[in-house]
Amino acid sequence: MTSSLALLTGSTTRRRPTLWVLVPAIVVTLCMLIPVVYLFVRAAQADVAEALDLILRQRNLDLLRNTLALTFGVLAFTTLMALPMAWLVTRTDLRWRRIVTVLAVVPLAVPGYVMAYALLGIGGNYGALARLFNIYISNIHGYWGAVAALSLYTYPYIFLNVRSALLGLDSDLEESARSLGYGRLAIARHILLPHLTPALLAGYLVVGLYVLGDFGAVALMRYEAFSYAIFNQYSGAFDRIYAAWLSIMLLALAMSFVFMEVLLVKRRRLNSVGSGSQRPAPRAKLGKLAPLAWLYVTVVVLLSVGLPVAMLSYWLLLSPPDLSVFQQVPMTFLRSASAALPAAVLAAAMALPICYLSIRHPSRLSRFMERTVYIGYALPPLTLALAMVFFALHTAFFLYQTLALLIFSWALATLALATGPIRSALIQSRPNLEEAANALGYSPAATFFHVLLPRLKQGILAAIALVFLFCMKELPITFLLAPTGFNTLAVTVFSRTSEGMMAEAAPFAAAIVLFSSLSVGMILHREKNL
């Protein structure tokens, strides 16, 4: 794909890449391979009999069943929430569609562990219902608690994909089918559903990988999925070889999702053979179904947005913690930012040579290097963190439990996130300007700083912002790799919620939600036709 884009923009060049680009790109590629290599090195320390015993344990099958049940449960509920919502805002005359669209994206500002915190605060003897209304219900936990927390947080990923597909679908297809006598159900079955499938699969992949790698929500809900078991095995049982094998099984499960999505999309040929129609599809009149549609929208918005807001308001306003807890929030925020900002800058710096090589010098080698940046995205966060622990213990012990290792690991996990804006900026920058600078005698370094860097500035800043926002609310990698006593906002929320200190966790959870709203604002800013 990169080479095609490069050809379209005329950005290819036959010259060989200079060493100042090639060497950093090779170093970044080797860094990306570290987690995978060390995970297998640690697992290989078991002999054949021990490895077979570890792999064939009944507990692994139970974990696999639990993890798959959680993943498909979340996918089912997110589909039920996202698909009708996307349909209502794109294909019906529902009023205030723009506001409904914004409210459907807002849950992305509430991470899964904060959503779990909100659900846990409802029930129990000290829950909000008992204190406010004398209504006693059991604590929400286990499988259904984890499904609810993760579904309410992740359904916007599928909503955005399906909404975008519906807006881009050629309306002539539906009109042609209608003129041939097809009814609404037949059009939905034979036209809409097949064309929405790639968008659904893309959303399913994002949500599925998130659920497989999630640690915060499943741990707070005490649900035994792979990620929770890996953490317990590492921190409680100290059996790191078994933890490595569990991580490899989780990685294999995640990769099976990736290959399944690629295989299903590859088999579908849904491209248009003509120019298509630019007219938007006609909107269906809801008529008597409007109250039912609004009931559905209200329930989804109240659960996904109203619930966390209400619970945070309750713990902050009606049952607030001591003032000293509020005073800790700014320092914890600065502590989180002190690690997130260097990680964001490092990720952008690592993305630069990879992007430059793949756009300006497309080849098999550059394509391989470009694909390795997605290792950090495909690896479940807890698996990546565990691999970096092995790396530090065996090769770089001076990094073990240091802030530098956390920053480096965050950069590896977010490198794919950083490459997007930089690659886009590089594609839009004409290569003949660099060639002219070289012809005028500028050195490669001078050409980079005086010609290329000013044109990549916006893309680099966008990459830094995206990674910074991600790291500020990241939990699994931080929980495993942060130095002792280095408590970020996410770790503080998780730790205090785990101990039942709901009021003490509220100010930190509110800070995460407010800060995460910036990332939602960036998504909404990029979205058009809201």
Side-chain angles (χ1 to χ4, degrees):
M1 183 182 72
T2 302
S3 58
S4 302
L5 289 172
L7 285 169
L8 287 173
T9 55
S11 60
T12 57
T13 175
R14 297 293 182 187
R15 291 185 297 109
R16 289 183 177 180
T18 54
L19 287 178
W20 68 271
V21 174
L22 191 58
V23 171
I26 292 174
V27 171
V28 171
T29 303
L30 293 176
C31 288
M32 293 306 300
L33 295 175
I34 286 175
V36 179
V37 170
Y38 272 88
L39 197 59
F40 281 92
V41 166
R42 184 61 168 171
Q45 290 179 349
D47 56 37
V48 176
E50 185 182 4
L52 288 175
D53 177 61
L54 294 174
I55 295 171
L56 300 178
R57 287 182 181 179
Q58 177 62 37
R59 183 166 182 260
N60 296 340
L61 292 178
D62 295 337
L63 290 173
L64 178 63
R65 186 178 59 246
N66 288 351
T67 304
L68 288 176
L70 177 65
T71 305
F72 286 107
V74 171
L75 291 180
F77 275 92
T78 49
T79 304
L80 289 176
M81 287 189 282
L83 199 56
M85 187 77 86
W87 173 264
L88 286 171
V89 299
T90 57
R91 293 303 181 90
T92 71
D93 62 347
L94 185 78
R95 297 182 66 185
W96 303 306
R97 292 186 295 276
R98 183 185 175 87
I99 296 175
V100 173
T101 302
V102 172
L103 290 173
V105 182
V106 166
L108 289 177
V110 188
Y113 54 88
V114 176
M115 199 68 82
Y117 160 85
L119 289 167
L120 287 169
I122 297 175
N125 293 330
Y126 300 101
L129 286 180
R131 290 190 177 189
L132 291 177
F133 308 108
N134 286 328
I135 299 175
Y136 294 90
I137 64 170
S138 300
N139 265 328
I140 300 171
H141 66 282
Y143 173 76
W144 291 110
V147 168
L150 293 171
S151 299
L152 293 172
Y153 168 59
T154 57
Y155 93 88
Y157 290 115
I158 295 178
F159 167 79
L160 286 170
N161 275 292
V162 175
R163 174 181 167 273
S164 177
L166 284 169
L167 288 174
L169 185 59
D170 186 357
S171 60
D172 279 353
L173 291 172
E174 295 170 66
E175 290 184 11
S176 300
R178 204 172 290 115
S179 65
L180 292 172
Y182 280 72
R184 288 184 179 179
L185 287 178
I187 291 175
R189 181 182 173 188
H190 297 291
I191 304 294
L192 291 177
L193 193 57
H195 282 80
L196 292 181
T197 300
L200 278 171
L201 290 175
Y204 286 163
L205 180 62
V206 173
V207 173
L209 289 178
Y210 181 87
V211 174
L212 289 177
D214 178 77
F215 166 70
V218 295
L220 289 175
M221 290 296 175
R222 299 287 189 269
Y223 181 70
E224 275 244 318
F226 261 118
S227 56
Y228 188 38
I230 290 170
F231 177 75
N232 284 338
Q233 209 63 38
Y234 170 77
S235 62
F238 297 104
D239 189 347
R240 291 172 179 171
I241 292 180
Y242 185 38
W245 277 107
L246 286 176
S247 298
I248 290 173
M249 292 177 206
L250 182 58
L251 175 61
L253 196 58
M255 295 312 297
S256 69
F257 272 65
V258 174
F259 287 123
M260 199 183 305
E261 195 264 352
V262 171
L263 189 65
L264 290 173
V265 171
K266 192 176 180 180
R267 287 184 176 181
R268 293 182 174 274
R269 300 180 60 185
L270 300 172
N271 51 306
S272 175
V273 295
S275 58
S277 172
Q278 299 300 317
R279 289 180 290 108
R283 295 187 180 278
K285 294 187 181 300
L286 288 172
K288 295 180 180 178
L289 294 177
L292 190 62
W294 275 112
L295 177 63
Y296 164 80
V297 170
T298 304
V299 170
V300 172
V301 171
L302 281 179
L303 287 174
S304 59
V305 180
L307 175 64
V309 171
M311 293 309 302
L312 285 174
S313 302
Y314 167 74
W315 290 113
L316 288 174
L317 302 177
L318 300 180
S319 184
D322 294 338
L323 183 62
S324 61
V325 177
F326 288 95
Q327 292 172 341
Q328 295 171 17
V329 175
M331 188 55 68
T332 309
F333 180 89
L334 290 176
R335 193 181 300 124
S336 303
S338 69
L341 187 59
V345 174
L346 179 60
M350 292 171 73
L352 263 173
I354 295 290
C355 292
Y356 187 87
L357 203 64
S358 63
I359 299 298
R360 294 291 192 257
H361 303 279
S363 65
R364 288 184 180 178
L365 178 63
S366 64
R367 280 194 291 275
F368 169 75
M369 290 178 171
E370 187 186 23
R371 286 168 185 167
T372 58
V373 305
Y374 293 97
I375 290 176
Y377 178 75
L379 275 174
L382 210 59
T383 300
L384 187 146
L386 197 61
M388 296 310 293
V389 169
F390 297 150
F391 164 69
L393 288 175
H394 286 268
T395 305
F397 190 75
F398 62 92
L399 284 175
Y400 185 59
Q401 285 199 330
T402 62
L403 192 59
L405 184 62
L406 174 64
I407 292 171
F408 181 56
S409 303
W410 272 351
L412 295 183
T414 56
L415 190 54
L417 205 59
T419 55
I422 295 176
R423 187 198 295 116
S424 299
L426 197 54
I427 289 172
Q428 292 170 354
S429 175
R430 290 182 296 170
N432 53 3
L433 294 175
E434 299 153 50
E435 293 167 1
N438 289 328
L440 290 172
Y442 278 69
S443 66
T447 302
F448 174 77
F449 284 107
H450 296 292
V451 178
L452 189 58
L453 191 58
R455 286 163 177 76
L456 299 184
K457 187 172 64 178
Q458 294 300 325
I460 293 173
L461 289 176
I464 290 174
L466 285 172
V467 175
F468 180 71
L469 290 168
F470 174 89
C471 294
M472 285 294 289
K473 58 182 181 181
E474 201 282 332
L475 176 64
I477 296 174
T478 315
F479 205 73
L480 219 59
L481 296 182
T484 303
F486 190 84
N487 292 326
T488 62
L489 288 172
V491 171
T492 305
V493 171
F494 179 81
S495 302
R496 298 192 176 188
T497 306
S498 301
E499 297 168 4
M501 302 165 66
M502 308 302 286
E504 287 75 7
F508 302 93
I512 289 176
V513 172
L514 289 175
F515 190 77
S516 299
S517 300
L518 293 176
S519 60
V520 174
M522 290 180 68
I523 293 172
L524 294 174
H525 180 69
R526 288 186 172 192
E527 282 284 310
K528 297 179 180 178
N529 303 319
L530 279 177

